[in-house]
Amino acid sequence: MPRTILPGFRLAMGCTLLYVGVIVLLPLAALVWQAADLGWARFVTVVTGDRALAAFRVTVFSALGATAINAVFGLALAWALVRYDFPGKRLLDALVDVPFALPTAVAGVALTALFAGNGWYGQFLEPLGIKVAYAPLGIVAAMTFTSLPFVVRSVQPVLEDLTADVEEAAETLGAGQARIFARVIFPAIFPAFLAGCSLAFARSLGEFGAVIFIAGNQPFRTEIAALLVFIRLEEYDYPAAAAIASVMLGAAFLMLLVVNAIQLWSLRWTRTAS
């Protein structure tokens, strides 16, 4: 057997499991353990309190709004980057990754400056009755900004791998552009599209830095779950903070399970149809 500088299966798997255990599983186990200190009755009381339910509602609906926006415009952006050549394409492609590199606090400050009453956008929106800064729309704007790359970067490589042969065959058979997209292109990119949307939603659920600067953080109106966790930590109520965080963790796991099930069904359906 030729010698190789790469570790064998056992060593590689051992290092992988150790890394995942230390970096991922142990912190999550510590969170669940801390929440368990409350006891079931106290846990239910904490996570079903009026303020906690309002924070969950604001977080989930804002994340859904941001994901819906990025699903439409992220797909359009990926399509434009893959299918067309235009001046500034490389610059636009690089700008997609800016939310990855930019500290979220910086993004929050920048968005607040833009959407404040005297900001570049806010001075035109607020006279129309559209208030973004220190309002629920501001949370959606911050989540949309930070989760944009997930849809684009998930769909873009799949679009690049799609050959034009199938589209040309459908066009030859008389299918219009809308039908080609709905029956040929979208089913092919659907698993990647769904994965990108789920990642964008998960990122939005956990967003903190960008949101707190623009949301105003008013309980029952613009207070997100991550901020409520932070507030409980500042009050030294660690079990309550862990309880609220564990609900968000459970929601994220449930969402990933559903998305994986849909992706598996989609792949089986695509193979059966082909």
Side-chain angles (χ1 to χ4, degrees), residues 94-175:
L95 286 175
V96 171
D97 292 328
V98 167
F100 278 146
L102 195 67
T104 54
V106 176
V109 171
L111 290 172
T112 304
L114 281 177
F115 287 106
N118 58 350
W120 288 357
Y121 298 163
Q123 61 180 324
F124 299 109
L125 294 175
E126 292 204 1
L128 299 175
I130 304 173
K131 185 172 178 57
V132 178
Y134 314 119
L137 276 180
I139 303 175
V140 177
M143 290 180 174
T144 303
F145 177 86
T146 55
S147 60
L148 169 66
F150 292 99
V151 176
V152 179
R153 293 308 184 211
S154 297
V155 173
Q156 192 175 2
V158 181
L159 278 175
E160 288 173 345
D161 290 339
L162 275 181
T163 61
D165 299 346
V166 181
E167 296 175 46
E168 291 172 357
E171 193 172 1
T172 303
L173 294 172

Side-chain angles (χ1 to χ4, degrees), residues 87-99:
K89 178 179 175 179
R90 287 182 178 275
L91 177 62
L92 180 61
D93 197 14
L95 286 175
V96 171
D97 292 328
V98 167

Side-chain angles (χ1 to χ4, degrees), residues 23 46 53 69 71 97 99 101 110 123 126 130 132 151 155 171 194 211 213 225 240 244 247 252 262 265-266:
I23 300 297
V46 168
L53 290 179
I69 293 171
D97 292 328
Q123 61 180 324
E126 292 204 1
I130 304 173
V132 178
V151 176
V155 173
E171 193 172 1
L194 187 62
V211 172
F213 287 96
I244 297 170
V247 171
I262 295 175
W265 170 83
S266 176

Side-chain angles (χ1 to χ4, degrees), residues 1-9 11-12 15:
M1 180 178 293
R3 297 178 63 81
T4 173
I5 61 172
L6 297 176
F9 172 75
L11 181 57
C15 292

